[in-house]
Amino acid sequence: MELEVEFADAAQAEPPPGWDDFVDKGAAHPVWRWSVVHAAAGPRRGAAVAALLRDGGETAGLVYARLTGPGRTLADVGCPGSSSMPGLVLRGGLPGVLDPAGGAADDGPLLAAALAAFEAALRKEHRRVRAVAYRSVFAGELPVVAGRLSLVGRGLPVTMFTNTFEDYERYLAGLSQSRRASQRRQVKLVAREPGLESSFGPLTGPVDLDRFNALADTTSGRHETRRWPRPRRLPHPLRVAMATVPGVLAARYERAGELVGLGINFDHPSVPLAGPWGALDPHEGGPRGLWFDQHARILRWAIESGRAGVIGGKGLVELKAELGYDIVPQWLVLRRPR
């Protein structure tokens, strides 16, 4: 199989033909829409690479990479809107380990063809690139991505909730007794919070995204446990782009007209994806239990809507494991373009 590669200028606001159509057909999460790619790339021309993979007249995949290192000699391939996802998405959708419905069986030949085509085109288009780093490579794809001369390192694991439940109550019944009781208590605590208005669904109406950005930054800081390498802060324009794409599902909390919590999730026909979360610190007057409440809302929605699962991200993995998420390993592969 031979694929053609069409590079697009990520600094341009308008999407290249076929990019958003590929996303909208359900092959990729909304974090792959062009507005997110454009915001992730930033204003500097040439700082990122975006490419469409063509199989005849059909779009077979998308690739996004940041050009980093001295002289931009490293192509860092990662999803523009989520550190939990690969930076190369193919028709059929998710890596098999992230698709409990089995709708996207691992396609080794397509992945191998995509890597070969992208790296060959990258050598011609960006001659300075000496190495390519592929992030969030899962077990099913690792033998294809990692070759004899590759360097492979273990990345932070991703949490994955698999929906095997007829309803939300049966899900709760599968948790430990202490976690089940705690989860019910946290949800009741939020429901009884004086003056708190909460909702879950499409993000409509005016939203203070400057406030959300500040809450998300401080929340991430409270939960960070590793000192090196320091986690990347999402730029404000990127969070705005992520919050305003079609397909957003938001857990939203306001008190006296002020935003005190917002969780952004991204819908998908099979497996929704958790995104940025920010909430006012309870030690600074914020309501307690919002993090647990928003997880209850996304899981209830996924179960009741018949989704196959939820990709929960990389943060607070131990707590998420108590809530029924599996911990899925993933790897970083560094290799020379072939």
Side-chain angles (χ1 to χ4, degrees):
M1 178 186 298
E2 292 188 5
L3 302 176
E4 296 181 355
V5 178
E6 179 184 317
F7 286 104
D9 184 0
Q12 296 294 326
E14 289 299 315
W19 189 286
D20 282 350
D21 289 341
F22 182 84
V23 176
D24 291 340
K25 288 177 182 177
H29 286 84
V31 291
W32 273 97
R33 285 185 66 89
W34 187 257
S35 59
V36 177
V37 172
H38 177 63
R44 289 192 305 160
R45 188 179 297 273
V49 169
L52 298 96
L53 305 176
R54 307 285 197 188
D55 183 9
E58 179 186 355
T59 303
L62 309 174
V63 188
Y64 176 79
R66 293 183 302 118
L67 298 181
T68 65
R72 295 179 177 174
T73 53
L74 172 67
D76 190 350
V77 181
C79 176
S82 174
S83 64
S84 300
M85 307 290 287
L88 191 160
V89 60
L90 300 173
R91 64 188 176 204
L94 299 165
V97 70
L98 297 183
D99 189 5
D106 295 330
D107 191 335
L110 178 59
L111 177 58
L115 295 174
F118 171 67
E119 292 180 4
L122 188 67
R123 287 198 304 271
K124 295 179 181 178
E125 187 80 9
H126 298 275
R127 297 181 181 276
R128 292 183 178 182
V129 172
R130 296 291 180 265
V132 184
Y134 293 96
R135 296 184 180 273
S136 297
V137 179
F138 293 91
E141 293 69 42
L142 190 60
V144 180
V145 181
R148 184 170 57 88
L149 300 178
S150 299
L151 296 176
V152 180
R154 194 74 169 258
L156 295 176
V158 174
T159 54
M160 177 72 208
F161 171 78
T162 301
N163 180 20
T164 59
F165 306 97
E166 295 181 12
D167 54 47
Y168 183 73
E169 286 302 314
R170 298 204 181 187
Y171 152 71
L172 283 179
L175 302 180
S176 69
Q177 183 176 358
S178 60
R179 176 48 61 195
R180 180 169 63 249
S182 174
Q183 188 67 357
R184 284 178 168 150
R185 183 172 62 253
Q186 298 284 1
V187 170
K188 289 179 180 178
L189 189 69
V190 171
R192 294 170 182 169
E193 175 74 19
L196 183 67
E197 297 182 2
S198 61
S199 64
F200 181 83
L203 192 60
T204 58
V207 183
D208 188 345
L209 293 178
D210 288 334
R211 168 78 169 172
F212 170 55
N213 191 60
L215 290 175
D217 273 345
T218 56
T219 301
S220 296
R222 291 198 304 271
H223 294 155
E224 285 169 3
T225 57
R226 79 177 193 267
R227 296 179 179 271
W228 186 260
R230 292 187 61 81
R232 291 180 61 224
R233 289 272 192 259
L234 293 181
H236 185 198
L238 178 55
R239 282 208 189 99
V240 170
M242 293 167 71
T244 54
V245 293
V248 161
L249 295 169
R252 182 173 176 176
Y253 304 89
E254 293 178 323
R255 187 173 57 192
E258 181 183 54
L259 188 70
V260 294
L262 183 65
I264 299 296
N265 306 278
F266 303 97
D267 197 7
H268 184 272
S270 178
V271 186
L273 169 67
W277 163 253
L280 183 62
D281 190 341
H283 294 98
E284 298 177 2
R288 295 186 179 276
L290 296 187
W291 186 86
F292 293 96
D293 185 80
Q294 63 106 14
H295 272 281
R297 289 172 184 263
I298 181 62
L299 293 184
R300 180 188 290 276
W301 179 87
I303 292 168
E304 292 179 351
S305 65
R307 296 303 196 267
V310 175
I311 302 169
K314 295 180 176 180
L316 300 175
V317 293
E318 292 82 7
L319 270 177
K320 290 175 185 174
E322 293 182 15
L323 291 172
Y325 289 80
D326 294 320
I327 299 176
V328 180
Q330 54 88 20
W331 289 265
L332 168 71
V333 178
L334 180 69
R335 62 188 238 180
R336 292 182 64 85
R338 299 174 184 177

